[in-house]
Amino acid sequence: MVDAPAPPGPTAKPRSGTPLDPAARLLLDRLAFPRKTAIVDVGANPINPAPYTPLLRAGGCAVTGFEPQEEAFAALQKVKGPDETYFPHAVADGRTHDLHIFRFDGMTSLFPPYLPTYAAIDRPRWCRVDRIVPLPTVALDDLPDLGPCDLLKIDIQGGEKLVFDHARRTLAEAVAVIVELRYLQLYEGEPMLGGVDGALREQGFTLHKFLFNKSIAMPHSQAARLNRRRTGDQLVDGDAVYLRQPGHVGDWSDGQLMHVALLAAAVFDSHSLALWALDELVRRSACAHDLPARYVDLLPERLLSDEELARRQAAAAAAAATAAPAKTRTATRKTARKAG
């Protein structure tokens, strides 16, 4: 993804200590998962914390990551935990490609920069390529020991479609994909939003939500008079979640429903999706019938309806009123003992 560029060479930082949300912890504890949720991370460069980090820290998933850049791979090796395995492979179609190593680490790509865009947005530093080196790649479907994949997270600066086209077996049972979508062309020949969307829909996935989008201000004569962050009108890229087609839920296994419920709760912040999956599990008698209600009991107030908030407030008031006489009786007994 495109951030304000930083110098190349990630440093090893401890994984985020953000705890798992209570509702997600409930699912982790109460669902009978056939195995740990399996996440494959293509382009695992630790520039930014992965969205699955709280789930990983809670022991709720196993991650297999791929990162070909030496410094980034070394950083991952330095901070990895027991549920993390990383390989220094570039993932694409199994052929050798030219890797364009940009001045800024997060921009390195199989594709050369699309110079007209950088000229238009006046970001000449972003497109500087230090060198071009041949890069052998592997295809996910050619890795016999890869194992299951419930979630594929991918961020490789334009090479996503190459990966999808050679990961049909890998994605056959996956329930979700987190992928970077490009709106403003940064590389020559990259598939952009349309190409990525088409490749995923062909394999049975549909757009679920945007996790975030990034935009920039276009250069202009009045730039000194405006706040650049607040006038960032031009979309550049963003991360999105694709979901296995929910209209075919009858073909989903109980395990797939459990994995998507947990991912929705812990990674996507998609609580209606989590409850949709739980309701289907209840219908199949594959989880406790009260689990959806218990899940909502643990959600923060900002997600609740006015009616639910009023119900909770009434219940709290009733509980306080019941507790008050008991406290009064206790205080009276203590006073009587002191007087005696």
Side-chain angles (χ1 to χ4, degrees):
M1 70 193 70
V2 175
D3 276 308
T11 56
K13 297 179 181 179
R15 293 291 193 180
S16 168
T18 303
L20 194 62
D21 289 340
R25 168 56 69 178
L26 175 71
L27 301 189
L28 190 57
D29 292 342
R30 298 298 179 184
L31 289 175
F33 293 93
R35 52 171 170 73
K36 283 191 177 182
T37 299
I39 297 175
V40 174
D41 192 340
V42 175
N45 192 329
I47 294 176
N48 298 304
Y52 54 75
T53 297
L55 182 61
L56 178 63
R57 286 291 147 267
C61 64
V63 175
T64 301
F66 297 88
E67 176 50 58
Q69 297 186 68
E70 290 184 6
E71 291 186 16
F73 179 74
L76 289 166
Q77 291 292 87
K78 194 169 184 177
V79 300
K80 72 175 183 178
D83 291 322
E84 298 169 83
T85 303
Y86 296 103
F87 297 97
H89 304 322
V91 179
D93 56 1
R95 301 169 60 188
T96 296
H97 295 265
D98 286 338
L99 179 67
H100 299 78
I101 300 176
F102 284 62
R103 177 73 52 87
F104 295 114
D105 181 64
M107 301 293 292
T108 293
S109 173
L110 297 181
F111 296 89
Y114 184 66
L115 297 180
T117 292
Y118 294 98
I121 64 177
D122 193 25
R123 299 295 199 280
R125 293 189 306 150
W126 287 14
C127 64
R128 292 177 184 170
V129 175
D130 281 346
R131 63 190 187 278
I132 302 173
V133 298
L135 180 70
T137 69
V138 299
L140 289 179
D141 279 353
D142 292 339
L143 300 174
D145 299 325
L146 180 59
C149 172
D150 301 307
L151 166 66
L152 173 63
K153 174 190 166 292
I154 181 169
D155 183 357
I156 55 172
Q157 300 302 316
E160 291 83 4
K161 187 176 184 298
L162 276 175
V163 174
F164 298 147
D165 288 346
H166 297 83
R168 295 179 183 277
R169 178 179 56 80
T170 302
L171 291 174
E173 301 299 324
V175 294
V177 175
I178 297 179
V179 60
E180 185 178 61
L181 299 176
R182 186 92 64 234
Y183 318 122
L184 182 67
Q185 186 175 3
L186 299 180
Y187 304 98
E188 289 185 15
E190 65 174 324
M192 304 289 290
L193 165 64
V196 170
D197 182 81
L200 285 171
R201 288 182 183 275
E202 183 185 354
Q203 296 193 48
F205 295 90
T206 189
L207 181 61
H208 170 61
K209 71 183 296 184
F210 294 101
L211 294 178
F212 60 82
N213 283 308
K214 291 186 177 180
S215 59
I216 60 172
M218 295 296 291
H220 55 83
S221 62
Q222 304 299 305
R225 302 177 62 192
L226 298 179
N227 183 304
R228 290 184 66 177
R229 290 187 178 275
R230 295 176 182 174
T231 56
D233 310 315
Q234 174 58 57
L235 279 170
V236 179
D237 55 30
D239 282 5
V241 178
Y242 277 74
L243 178 68
R244 181 159 297 284
Q245 175 54 256
H248 299 158
V249 69
D251 298 330
W252 291 36
S253 68
D254 293 352
Q256 286 176 308
L257 286 164
M258 293 176 190
H259 292 309
V260 83
L262 181 62
L263 290 168
V267 181
F268 311 152
D269 197 28
S270 292
H271 300 289
S272 69
L273 173 59
L275 288 162
W276 171 84
L278 292 177
D279 286 344
E280 178 63 17
L281 288 168
V282 169
R283 190 188 69 78
R284 299 182 184 188
S285 300
C287 75
H289 73 279
D290 64 341
L291 191 55
R294 294 180 62 190
Y295 181 89
V296 173
D297 288 342
L298 295 174
L299 292 179
E301 289 189 350
R302 64 181 175 81
L303 298 175
L304 304 179
S305 66
D306 291 343
E307 293 79 4
E308 175 63 13
L309 286 172
R311 186 194 68 77
R312 290 192 183 186
Q313 291 167 0
T322 302
K327 290 181 179 179
T328 300
R329 289 193 298 271
T330 300
T332 301
R333 286 195 294 269
K334 288 181 178 179
T335 301
R337 283 198 298 271
K338 289 180 180 179

